[in-house]
Amino acid sequence: MRQPRTETVLILVTRINGAVFALNPDLVERVDCTPDTVVTLVDGTKYVISESVPEFIDSVRHYRASLIAQASRMEPEPTAAAHSSSDDDDLDAKVLPLHRKDR
């Protein structure tokens, strides 16, 4: 069985001083233009970058599109056995009523 790739894909952004670093776009909460571009992560960390807001958004779009493209190229896992149509009825979800406690 082939193991899925666990490669972490990051985007490259540039600090105002010219230093390039990798950023996980899944952790971005928001991007502000104040007039510098400020990236705020979900943990509150802020980075001032030299890319414009539209450039940053394009980088994130490209990153997400590459994830979707990679997922579409993945081989599906083989099923253990083919089920007949009568077996499919046994796989249907069953709804069970929940009982409330009387107060």
Side-chain angles (χ1 to χ4, degrees):
M1 183 163 92
R2 195 172 111 181
Q3 294 295 324
R5 290 173 57 181
T6 56
E7 175 181 313
T8 303
V9 180
L10 305 171
I11 61 173
L12 297 178
V13 291
T14 310
R15 293 182 191 265
I16 295 295
N17 68 2
V20 176
F21 70 101
L23 178 68
N24 183 345
D26 292 331
L27 299 178
V28 174
E29 179 180 318
R30 70 176 180 269
V31 181
D32 300 307
C33 183
T34 63
D36 294 327
T37 305
V38 179
V39 178
T40 305
L41 303 185
V42 293
D43 68 353
T45 304
K46 294 181 184 241
Y47 295 105
V48 180
I49 61 173
S50 62
E51 289 82 7
S52 67
V53 172
E55 288 172 330
F56 182 79
I57 291 170
D58 284 343
S59 295
V60 173
R61 273 194 194 129
H62 180 71
Y63 160 78
R64 296 193 187 210
S66 70
L67 290 180
I68 292 169
Q70 183 179 358
S72 69
R73 288 190 299 269
M74 292 177 71
E75 295 177 17
E77 290 288 324
T79 57
H83 294 289
S84 67
S85 61
S86 63
D87 290 341
D88 289 342
D89 293 339
D90 294 336
L91 297 176
D92 288 343
K94 306 225 181 332
V95 178
L96 300 175
L98 296 177
H99 300 285
R100 292 184 146 179
K101 290 183 179 181
D102 292 329
R103 295 182 189 203

